[in-house]
Amino acid sequence: MASGFNREVAFMSIFAIALSVIIFVAVSYALFFTVNKFREDKNTDAPAQFHGNNRLELILVVVPVVIVMFLAVLTVRSMAILNPVAEQTTKIDVLGRQFWWNFSYPETKADAGGDVTNGNEMVMPTKQPVALTITSGDVIHGFWAPNIGGQRAAMPGALKTWNVDTDRAAVYQGNCTQLCGGSHANMRYKVVALDQERYTTFLAAAKAYRAPEPAEGSAEARGYELFMKGNPATGALACAACHRVQGTTAAGAAGPDLSFFGTRRTLGAGMWEAMTPEHWEAPDAKAHLHAWIKHSPKVKPGSLMPTYDGSEYEVNGKLVKGGVLTDEQIDDVAAYLRTLKLPEEADYWNNTPVYGSSDAAENAPTPLAKTSSPTPGGKQ
């Protein structure tokens, strides 16, 4: 058990269960002993009659009180260990929205402005407590990564603090635990725990990061223009209106931060995962990214990302007609997204084992549901 939080909870749980078993056995023994000793076929005479027994009554009151007080002291002790946020603790802000997560590092200001932020993948150090400040931008969500600690509600308009930790460098799974809409089960994230040296390298690179400028006339440059401006002639909205990319004018907050998209190995908050080094360059990864950009709500029900095939999608209960990008234009946008990478030495996925997986077969990508090009303007 790599998490101090989990070890403390396990200690309390095991102790309480063990004490309950002892009490159950003692009470059961006393019950069956009394029933057997004083049953009618062994005692023909009427038992002695008495009214009240001060010693017995005192025992029956004092013993439960002592047990409850003892458990209360242990509980308060555990709360004192788990709840406080130390001044020197690493701090991460967690924002949950339908149906994705943003993880910001308030103590690390990006050279390009704003907090260092990563979408759907939380990078944290090992062997020290990490203080999370959790909130929601819409409905109630539940933040839970079982390998690093317990769960906490993410509530709109409220800031909830939570301490997590782990002794083991690994990639862990996180999930939303509060039913929050059509893609509640698809609101996943990864926790990547690094040793202190690698974590420091990641933060330093993320702080200095600026999105690269694409070469003029390249597919990436065309994708950059579409990302920033969209295509007004066909009603295609600009990605920058909803997404932030560090070091550019893209500062949207309605969608997950895309600053390090090319380094990430998950798409759509865990709708698709790639654990291989080439990840986004693999043909199936390119196909999934293309399908995601083209018609995100079909891949992930409830997604508020606009469609780019001219079909309708639902926003706040109303159908809205999406814009149109050609397949070539979508590929250009995807090419630009793949360039948004941290330096190789700051790639937090490299050589970080996936918890619970021991071979490449278990780490194989999980494919998305196959998508087909919907009829423009049709309901999805």
Side-chain angles (χ1 to χ4, degrees), residues 56-76:
L56 181 60
E57 291 174 4
L58 185 63
I59 292 173
L60 292 177
V61 171
V62 171
V63 171
V65 169
V66 170
I67 292 173
V68 170
M69 290 182 64
F70 183 61
L71 289 175
V73 169
L74 288 181
T75 301
V76 171

Side-chain angles (χ1 to χ4, degrees), residues 252-273:
D257 195 291
L258 299 180
S259 297
F260 315 135
F261 181 87
T263 298
R264 285 160 32 188
R265 296 194 188 179
T266 59
L267 174 63
M271 288 298 296
W272 184 80
E273 301 175 3

Side-chain angles (χ1 to χ4, degrees), residues 7-336:
R7 286 193 293 270
E8 184 64 30
V9 172
F11 164 76
M12 274 297 301
S13 301
I14 293 172
F15 186 87
I17 292 171
L19 187 59
S20 300
V21 169
I22 292 172
I23 294 172
F24 174 78
V25 171
V27 171
S28 298
Y29 174 80
L31 173 64
F32 287 109
F33 174 81
T34 303
V35 169
N36 180 64
K37 182 175 177 62
F38 297 104
R39 70 174 186 247
E40 187 176 6
D41 62 349
K42 285 189 175 184
N43 301 275
T44 56
D45 298 331
Q49 303 298 306
F50 62 90
H51 298 280
N53 186 316
N54 292 338
R55 179 183 298 176
L56 181 60
E57 291 174 4
L58 185 63
I59 292 173
L60 292 177
V61 171
V62 171
V63 171
V65 169
V66 170
I67 292 173
V68 170
M69 290 182 64
F70 183 61
L71 289 175
V73 169
L74 288 181
T75 301
V76 171
R77 167 190 168 275
S78 293
M79 292 173 64
I81 292 173
L82 299 176
N83 287 343
V85 176
E87 291 185 4
Q88 300 303 318
T89 300
T90 298
K91 295 177 175 61
I92 300 177
D93 291 342
V94 180
L95 170 66
R97 299 192 69 169
Q98 293 174 312
F99 298 96
W100 51 270
W101 301 88
N102 256 358
F103 301 100
S104 302
Y105 300 79
E107 299 173 310
T108 305
K109 303 298 181 182
D111 293 345
D115 293 342
V116 167
T117 304
N118 198 20
N120 299 315
E121 295 180 2
M122 185 177 85
V123 184
M124 61 175 281
T126 59
K127 300 180 180 178
Q128 62 175 281
V130 175
L132 306 180
T133 300
I134 305 170
T135 190
S136 167
D138 39 46
V139 300
I140 298 176
H141 301 286
F143 178 91
W144 187 40
N147 297 102
I148 63 171
Q151 60 179 317
R152 195 73 160 177
M155 303 179 67
L159 299 177
K160 300 288 186 178
T161 57
W162 199 236
N163 284 354
V164 297
D165 70 284
T166 181
D167 296 335
R168 181 186 300 143
V171 179
Y172 301 105
Q173 180 65 45
N175 301 277
C176 176
T177 55
Q178 182 72 37
L179 184 60
C180 57
S183 271
H184 157 66
N186 299 322
M187 190 174 170
R188 300 186 286 268
Y189 59 95
K190 294 294 183 185
V191 176
V192 185
L194 306 176
D195 61 55
Q196 187 59 54
E197 183 179 356
R198 289 191 64 197
Y199 179 72
T200 301
T201 300
F202 158 73
L203 272 190
K207 180 179 185 300
Y209 178 84
R210 292 178 183 271
E213 294 186 9
E216 187 176 351
S218 64
E220 292 80 2
R222 295 191 298 271
Y224 172 80
E225 288 296 316
L226 290 167
F227 186 95
M228 293 297 175
K229 301 176 182 178
N231 189 349
T234 60
L237 300 178
C239 307
C242 296
H243 297 282
R244 172 180 178 261
V245 175
Q246 189 173 306
T248 73
T249 57
D257 195 291
L258 299 180
S259 297
F260 315 135
F261 181 87
T263 298
R264 285 160 32 188
R265 296 194 188 179
T266 59
L267 174 63
M271 288 298 296
W272 184 80
E273 301 175 3
M275 301 303 176
T276 54
E278 66 272 11
H279 53 293
W280 293 124
E281 298 304 323
D284 58 340
K286 291 182 178 180
H288 291 318
L289 181 54
H290 183 101
W292 176 262
I293 296 172
K294 188 170 188 174
H295 200 311
S296 168
K298 186 172 184 178
V299 177
K300 186 171 187 173
S303 171
L304 298 180
M305 181 172 161
T307 59
Y308 290 94
D309 58 4
S311 60
E312 294 180 331
Y313 63 101
E314 188 174 323
V315 178
N316 297 326
K318 298 180 180 179
L319 289 178
V320 178
K321 184 176 176 58
V324 176
L325 292 178
T326 65
D327 286 339
E328 291 74 16
Q329 288 174 320
I330 291 174
D331 286 338
D332 290 343
V333 174
Y336 171 67

Side-chain angles (χ1 to χ4, degrees), residues 343-364:
E344 185 70 19
E345 66 274 11
D347 188 337
Y348 47 84
W349 280 93
N350 284 346
N351 301 316
T352 306
V354 178
Y355 180 78
S357 298
S358 58
D359 55 48
E362 291 178 333
N363 293 340

